[in-house]
Amino acid sequence: METQPGAVGPSHVVGVGASAGGLEALERFVAALPLSSGVAYVIVQHLSPDHKSLMVELLARHTTLPIERAEDGALVRADHVYLLPPRKTVTIADGRLALADKDTSALNLPIDLFLRSLAADQGDRAIAIILSGTGSDGVRGIRSVKEEGGLVMAQDERTARFDGMPRAAIQTGLVDYVLAPEEMPEQLVRYCRRQRDQGVEGSTPLDDDQRLSAILAVLRRRTGTDFSLYKPSTVTRRISRRMAVNQVDDLGAYLDLLRGSTKEVAALHQELLIRVTKFFRDEDGWEIVEREVIPELANLGSPDTPIRVWVCGCSTGEEAYSLAILLREHLDEHDIHRDVKVFATDIDREAIEIAGAGIYPESVISDVPPDRLERWFSPRGDGFAIDRRIRQMVVFAVHDALRDPPFTRLSMVSCRNLLIYLEPVLQRRLLGMFQFGLHSGGYLFLGSSETTGDLGADLRALSTRWKVYQRTGGRVPMPGGMLDTTNPAARRFAAPLPERRVSELGSRSAVEQSEAYLLERYVPATAVVNERLELVHTFGDAARFLSVPVGSADLDFVRMVAGGAGTVVRAALQRAFHTGDEARFTGVLAGSESSVDLRVRPFTDRVSGHRYALVFLETGPPTPPQVPTSAAADLDTADADRVGELETELQYARESLQATIEELETSNEELQATNEELLSSNEELQSTNEELQSVNEELHTVNAEYQEKIEELIVANNDLDHLFAHSRIGTIFLDDHLRIRKFTAALDGVVNVMARDIGRPITDIAHLLGDIDLYGHARAVIDTGEVWETTAGTATGRDVLVRVFPYETESGARSGCVLSFTDVSRLRQAERRLQELIDSLPEHIAVLDHDGTILMVNQAWNEFASTNGVDDPLALGEGANYFDVSAAAAEVDDLTAEILTGIRKVLDGELEAFSREYPCHGPDRDRWFVLHARPLRDRERQVVVSHVDVSELRRAATGA
């Protein structure tokens, strides 16, 4: 679906992965986003599950694009930014986001998870961006995106706060752009617009076979890899993507770019060599291999026969190591001792180097079961290193399966997801090579999308779903001839193969078997010898002319020739290799019935460039040996004896040299073993050093935090010291056992305590507070948690307020108590003077608190209250409640009720003051008073009530 900008559905979906330091990079990225690009963005971060994320609010300050938290089932819309919520993982399917709870029991790689689903859902419309962060999350995801033809960007390490994730992505070689975050949106939009416009035009600029052929020729010349054998759809799609990345519309312009840019050649080469692999890919298929294939491999053949496995197209080695792990586990579990060699080959030299190192990013954890990860991997920096026992089982090599000879005597061949990129004719050829290399009973493991076609007659399917087969037939001949990739007829982009040629290739198997039969029955005894005069192959009945020499076994063809004709054979081979012409000798081996003629024909292998010679041993009539110039191969007896002596000396020299070489090889192996041990020790020390460095960084952080805390405590202690030194409140801190922990200086004249008394119980300390039991009250406070206080006088005449209250920690637990001694002598003196003052007033005065309790009265009030008693409910004594008059009188009249209501309103702040005249209720009923109530200044909700005798004024006014 191609969508124009402004439509609801996005033309592309961008997955942005970020971790530590990612906020700054994301702010710079979203600030540069265009308002209308037709692209949707999904940001996946490593978020803390314990803190609320403010990412929406923070990023919204830098862009006007809608930014929202992802919701389960939400349809992804163009020109929207979606953020991963805390404690969740996100995937995408059918253009909708799917949320799931994060699994806290295992390592979470949310970026990898989303990018994999993005690649599967969006295909070549998927774009992956890796920003600042630690670790390697995202590495597996970008592989999936590249596999589907998508675009990959990574932040420039120099601009990243933490470069772990960008560096891991860049090291894969799959990143198309390495840019600062603010530069990414411009390149991204250009790429999307070009790819979108190309889809709208409905055509492709890749219809020029001549230029395509030239592009592949440049690749073949610069890299040595011939991609003309790959499916045209695969090649054209990858070239088109590189053209989009480089903003090139014309195929000729891209060809010019390729010719002038070594970097672009490498990028296109890597684009066509997608490293699609992982540990135990397709788990169900590997379960079948582990259950049915591995046990049979362990018991196949004799115990002395090595188990040989070929992993063709191994990429970065994960599949080869997976097979080696399964084999090693089975052999160890059943105590089987057999040599195992896993030959892992690929055309990608850089991938082979990665595989050979055996170090993979931490995202490998998502592919390897935890028990195997612990057993066969060890931490190494930011990743994991394969165990040395597994590494020694695997031999990695650069190998072109379509051009180089196959491995032979194999127990198993694994080639997964390579055939799908090749034309059917080439698929048949490669499958034929696999069957040729497998011995009877060997196993073949293909990709789930691949098939054996019409070559499956000799294969028994163990699983048709996962393409696991066992070879059951007899010997299969080698597919005839290596591919001549220099022949234009072999390449699609130069000239398509005619239908008749395809038909001929389809029947090649029958022809090859016929050729094998004819070679065996009717071809004269023939040997193929290389430039080192070593036997490579034989045809016909060559065994009757050759013999195995005594001594150490080798393939020296001259030593194998029977009848003492080694000198003639050596001379003929040397002449043929030197001149390049055929050399012929007659009567080399004379017998009673026939003689043997020798003919040597040199040739050069078109694929490898190595030189070989065909040695024909032809039986003819008994004739004297002849040389090519019609002269016989005449050797007199003296010369023959001398030659024999020289050959004997040469043989001794060769054997001595061979022994020296073997000793040297043994020494080299021992040195290699020692070197590997030293490397291993160095790696362990390096790992230990990294761990110590990590611990040191953690300790540095903790130390910095403690240092800051110590500074705070110093300031707090200084504040307390100043408070204690200048405070006039004497304080003693006691622990749970009532021992003195700390005290202030303001205790002189109250408690006799000195600095040396810290740690002593309070019972050992004398005080001047009379008979107060400080120990008993302190123990009661610790036990009950209730505050105790009293006022006591000292022998010196001072009044002291004594308070004992519990000492509580931050958690609320009691840990001892605190005694405080406050000198209230001046306050008590002021209270006494105030009491004397109000006692001298003729008015009846009382002070009420907020609930009406009488706090203080003067002497006149007491006299009035004692004279009238309960006869006047308004004349209660100190400590009584002014409003509780029902207990003082059986009946409250209306006037009394009005007075009480007025005083209550003053207490509640509804009135500023209240006055009322009322008659005396006591024995002297001819007396009249004026009650006045007003708030007490500086005392919250306290009221002063006064009774003023106005009897004389009333009588004077009335004339009574």
Side-chain angles (χ1 to χ4, degrees), residues 645-660:
E645 293 175 1
L646 293 175
E647 287 183 349
T648 301
E649 292 177 4
L650 180 60
Q651 180 62 32
Y652 288 151
R654 284 179 175 174
E655 291 177 357
S656 177
L657 177 61
Q658 182 64 30
T660 304

Side-chain angles (χ1 to χ4, degrees), residues 48-95:
S48 170
D50 303 321
H51 297 85
K52 178 182 177 182
S53 174
L54 302 176
M55 190 61 63
V56 172
E57 295 81 358
L58 295 174
L59 293 184
R61 302 173 184 173
H62 300 274
T63 182
T64 57
L65 287 177
I67 299 180
E68 56 191 76
R69 288 186 177 86
E71 296 182 357
D72 191 36
L75 181 66
V76 176
R77 293 179 292 172
D79 300 312
H80 279 64
V81 180
Y82 300 89
L83 300 178
L84 174 67
R87 297 183 293 277
K88 296 289 184 180
T89 59
V90 62
T91 56
I92 185 172
D94 298 327

Side-chain angles (χ1 to χ4, degrees), residues 414-729:
S414 175
C415 181
R416 313 192 68 223
N417 301 309
L418 171 61
L419 300 179
I420 57 177
Y421 298 112
L422 306 178
E423 292 280 22
V425 172
L426 302 179
Q427 292 179 11
R428 294 187 71 259
R429 172 182 177 77
L430 201 54
L431 286 169
M433 293 174 63
F434 294 156
Q435 293 191 53
F436 171 78
L438 281 171
H439 55 61
S440 182
Y443 293 87
L444 177 64
F445 189 21
L446 301 178
S448 58
S449 301
E450 297 168 337
T451 180
T452 59
D454 58 356
L455 296 180
D458 294 332
L459 296 173
R460 179 176 68 90
L462 300 182
S463 172
T464 55
R465 170 68 178 86
W466 297 109
K467 305 301 187 294
V468 182
Y469 303 93
Q470 183 179 25
R471 184 171 174 271
T472 59
R475 183 176 182 273
V476 175
M478 171 70 182
M482 292 297 159
L483 287 176
D484 184 6
T485 56
T486 62
N487 184 351
R491 300 195 302 271
R492 174 262 181 192
F493 298 117
L497 289 173
E499 295 183 3
R500 189 172 66 84
R501 178 59 177 157
V502 174
S503 176
E504 291 174 357
L505 290 173
S507 60
R508 175 174 290 177
S509 177
V511 174
E512 291 170 348
Q513 295 182 43
S514 300
E515 289 176 351
Y517 178 81
L518 293 173
L519 287 172
E520 184 178 355
R521 292 292 188 273
Y522 301 107
V523 171
T526 306
V528 181
V529 181
N530 60 22
E531 285 186 289
R532 295 189 298 273
L533 306 187
E534 294 174 339
L535 180 63
V536 176
H537 197 79
T538 62
F539 301 94
D541 188 16
R544 64 193 182 96
F545 300 107
L546 304 176
S547 63
V548 178
V550 178
S552 59
D554 60 31
L555 297 177
D556 189 342
F557 180 69
V558 176
R559 295 184 62 198
M560 294 183 180
V561 178
T567 303
V568 178
V569 172
R570 184 189 304 277
L573 286 169
Q574 290 177 348
R575 179 181 298 177
F577 281 126
H578 179 69
T579 64
D581 299 327
E582 181 177 304
R584 182 187 298 271
F585 289 84
T586 61
V588 174
L589 294 176
S592 59
E593 299 179 356
S594 62
S595 64
V596 177
D597 296 338
L598 173 67
R599 186 161 54 93
V600 180
R601 181 182 180 183
F603 70 96
T604 301
D605 180 42
R606 292 192 300 266
V607 176
S608 64
H610 297 159
R611 300 178 66 194
Y612 297 90
L614 286 173
V615 180
F616 300 96
L617 298 171
E618 301 172 338
T619 303
T623 57
Q626 298 292 327
V627 295
T629 59
S630 74
D634 186 14
L635 297 175
D636 58 29
T637 304
D639 291 341
D641 292 341
R642 180 55 180 165
V643 169
E645 293 175 1
L646 293 175
E647 287 183 349
T648 301
E649 292 177 4
L650 180 60
Q651 180 62 32
Y652 288 151
R654 284 179 175 174
E655 291 177 357
S656 177
L657 177 61
Q658 182 64 30
T660 304
I661 291 174
E662 291 175 356
E663 292 176 1
L664 180 60
E665 290 177 348
T666 302
S667 299
N668 286 337
E669 291 175 357
E670 294 175 354
L671 290 174
Q672 181 67 23
T674 304
N675 183 54
E676 291 178 356
E677 292 176 0
L678 291 175
L679 288 175
S680 177
S681 300
N682 183 58
E683 291 170 356
E684 293 174 0
L685 290 174
Q686 181 67 22
S687 176
T688 304
N689 182 56
E690 292 174 356
E691 293 176 2
L692 291 175
Q693 180 66 23
S694 176
V695 173
N696 182 57
E697 292 175 357
E698 295 174 0
L699 291 176
H700 184 273
T701 302
V702 173
N703 182 61
E705 294 176 356
Y706 282 160
Q707 186 65 34
E708 185 176 349
K709 195 67 175 180
I710 288 172
E711 292 176 358
E712 293 177 359
L713 290 174
I714 291 174
V715 173
N717 281 331
N718 289 336
D719 293 342
L720 287 175
D721 290 340
H722 281 80
L723 175 64
F724 289 163
H726 301 287
S727 172
R728 296 183 179 181
I729 300 176

